[in-house]
Amino acid sequence: MLKEAGMEKINFSGGEPFLQDRGEFVGKLVQFCKQDLKLPSVSIVSNGSLIRERWFKKYGEYLDILAISCDSFDENVNVLIGRGQGKKNHVENLHKLRQWCREYAVAFKINSVINRFNVEEDMNEQIKALNPVRWKVFQCLLIEGENSGEDALREAERFVISDEEFEQFLDRHKDVSCLVPESNQKMRDSYLILDEYMRFLNCRNGRKEPSKSILDVGVEAAIKFSGFDEMMFLKRGGKYVWSKADMKLDW
């Protein structure tokens, strides 16, 4: 239905997409989107902890971009933030995933959420060494009911930084050519987000308000309640070379 309505790009994120059936579920979704729907761009956002080389062997050809969440290159900070991976070293794992992306021709991207615990960090060397096609740098965003407020699933108030602090972080990394910054203002309404019930989530009022499901009312009716700001989507650089067939990459 989304394809018929004009969808060109789909991104699977969680939670953690590789939890279900050890990645088989998201693998089949990726394969369907590329093989059957022939979407120009299919991507995944993951913390990388559950991805194995056998997944790349089976599904890598159908995936355009793999984005790995990495908020710090200091393992102690990762533990503090809640990105510790037990005995696994998150940073070592990142380099292994980078290598697999090269070997299996998947574009490699890094997502970082800048917050109270990593705002002073200098990531220049590590990012340049990993050489992602895109480094998305997000300012920590409060969403009521999600990570803020009385009924929140988790509490993120102590992670929040000011706009000025975010700008200072960006300034420190201004020589990283692949950096794509996303302030709270740019992020809030510039995504089309579908939940597991196929409802668009409207973040305009600072919380995720669901539309009716596209399975009940169709895409056109549901998307009207998505709160999507197309101008902001374009302004934040949401449209870019997102199909690996069009990327001039040295695999």
Side-chain angles (χ1 to χ4, degrees):
M1 290 168 76
L2 290 160
K3 162 79 178 176
E4 274 177 30
M7 174 173 68
E8 287 187 31
K9 180 183 193 295
I10 191 164
N11 178 50
F12 296 102
S13 67
E16 174 48 54
F18 283 84
L19 272 174
Q20 189 72 34
D21 305 332
R22 297 186 174 184
E24 279 297 304
F25 185 67
V26 75
K28 285 173 183 154
L29 288 173
V30 162
Q31 184 173 0
F32 173 76
C33 287
K34 186 55 83 173
Q35 219 173 33
D36 296 43
L37 298 184
K38 296 184 168 48
L39 292 180
S41 183
V42 183
S43 58
I44 298 175
V45 177
S46 167
N47 69 17
S49 63
L50 300 171
I51 307 177
R52 304 288 176 266
E53 187 175 8
R54 64 176 177 268
W55 191 93
F56 279 96
K57 283 180 179 164
K58 195 169 178 183
Y59 299 112
E61 65 180 291
Y62 310 113
L63 185 66
D64 290 279
I65 304 166
L66 176 64
I68 300 294
S69 303
C70 179
D71 296 339
S72 176
F73 290 92
D74 180 331
E75 208 51 40
N76 296 324
V77 175
N78 280 322
V79 171
L80 208 58
I81 290 171
R83 284 221 188 269
Q85 296 184 0
K87 289 182 182 146
K88 256 188 181 176
N89 181 307
H90 188 44
V91 180
E92 277 177 25
N93 199 40
L94 198 62
H95 283 271
K96 188 166 69 179
L97 290 162
R98 175 70 188 98
Q99 190 50 40
W100 286 339
C101 281
R102 252 190 216 107
E103 287 172 24
Y104 295 94
V106 175
F108 180 72
K109 178 179 169 186
I110 296 173
N111 284 357
S112 301
V113 178
I114 308 310
N115 60 75
R116 175 59 48 226
F117 301 104
N118 64 2
V119 70
E120 304 294 338
E121 202 171 319
D122 184 339
M123 304 184 187
N124 280 289
E125 267 182 51
Q126 291 93 335
I127 294 292
K128 283 174 183 171
L130 285 159
N131 193 24
V133 293
R134 209 165 153 86
W135 179 31
K136 285 294 279 288
V137 173
F138 302 94
Q139 181 182 0
C140 182
L141 177 67
L142 289 180
I143 296 280
E144 195 183 320
E146 188 83 8
N147 62 10
S148 163
E150 278 182 29
D151 304 321
L153 302 172
R154 53 195 78 77
E155 178 271 314
E157 272 89 354
R158 65 197 181 95
F159 287 84
V160 171
I161 57 170
S162 67
D163 293 351
E164 189 184 17
E165 287 173 307
F166 185 61
E167 287 301 324
Q168 284 169 353
F169 181 90
L170 296 179
D171 193 53
R172 196 181 312 129
H173 297 89
K174 63 180 183 291
D175 294 333
V176 181
S177 58
C178 60
L179 192 159
V180 180
E182 268 189 43
S183 62
N184 287 175
Q185 184 207 0
K186 278 185 182 169
M187 201 186 331
R188 192 173 278 117
D189 310 317
S190 65
Y191 286 87
L192 278 171
I193 308 169
L194 280 164
D195 69 6
E196 61 272 34
Y197 303 107
M198 294 286 124
R199 304 178 300 183
F200 287 104
L201 299 177
N202 183 339
C203 300
R204 283 227 158 143
N205 298 319
R207 56 185 177 272
K208 290 181 175 175
E209 296 172 335
S211 69
K212 287 194 165 73
S213 172
I214 66 170
L215 303 176
D216 295 327
V217 299
V219 178
E220 213 172 310
I223 207 167
K224 287 175 183 160
F225 297 92
S226 66
F228 182 60
D229 182 341
E230 188 181 358
M231 290 307 292
M232 190 56 85
F233 165 76
L234 296 169
K235 193 174 170 184
R236 73 165 170 82
K239 182 84 178 87
Y240 60 100
V241 179
W242 55 33
S243 174
K244 67 183 179 185
D246 300 328
M247 293 180 193
K248 294 173 177 56
L249 291 180
D250 178 13
W251 301 112

